[in-house]
Amino acid sequence: LEIQSKTDLIVNFNPSDSISSANVYLVFKDINSIMQSYYFSYNGKTINEGFRNIPVGYNVRLVAYTIKDEKVLSYASNMTVKDKQTLTLAMKETNDIELKKLFNN
C-alpha cells in the first residue's frame, strides 16, 4: 500500500497457555484484505513473524487459533492499528461452530 504511516504489530501469547504453534490472521475491514503470520516455539526458540509495515489507523480483526491437547483454542478481536503495537493474546477453548464464526465478525 502507498501509505505514509506504517508500523509493525507483534503478537505474543500468554505464557500460561503454553502455546507452541499458532496461525495468526489480520483481516483488514477497510480494504477487504487479509495477512497471515505464524508463531512457533520449541526448545526455547521462538519464531514470531508478527505483521510488518501495516497501515496505522486501519480497522482490523485479529484472529489466532491453535490446537493443543486435541482441543481448538482461539482468540479474536476487532481493533484499530496503533503505532508499534505489541499484543499478548489469551486463548480460549473454541468449538467448531465458534471457529467458523471467527472470521465473519
Side-chain angles (χ1 to χ4, degrees), residues 3-102:
I3 303 291
Q4 300 246 343
S5 185
K6 295 180 184 176
T7 192
D8 295 337
L9 172 63
I10 305 301
V11 177
N12 294 310
F13 293 88
N14 190 331
S16 65
D17 289 338
S18 301
I19 302 299
S20 60
S21 66
N23 288 304
V24 186
Y25 300 90
L26 195 60
V27 180
F28 291 85
K29 295 180 169 204
D30 300 330
I31 57 174
N32 195 27
S33 295
I34 188 168
M35 292 177 74
Q36 179 184 9
S37 185
Y38 61 89
Y39 173 90
F40 184 74
S41 181
Y42 183 72
N43 282 341
K45 295 181 183 179
T46 300
I47 299 170
N48 184 5
E49 302 236 331
F51 299 96
R52 308 279 182 226
N53 295 314
I54 59 173
V56 174
Y58 274 48
N59 294 314
V60 297
R61 181 165 180 80
L62 180 67
V63 178
Y65 74 90
T66 188
I67 297 173
K68 180 180 172 190
D69 300 327
E70 298 183 24
K71 296 178 183 174
V72 176
L73 304 175
S74 70
Y75 172 90
S77 177
N78 295 322
M79 57 187 258
T80 301
V81 176
K82 297 177 183 169
D83 192 35
K84 298 179 185 170
Q85 204 168 5
T86 299
L87 300 173
T88 301
L89 310 184
M91 305 291 273
K92 69 173 189 168
E93 191 172 335
T94 307
N95 64 39
D96 291 344
I97 294 169
E98 293 170 328
L99 183 63
K100 289 178 184 178
K101 291 181 181 178
L102 286 179

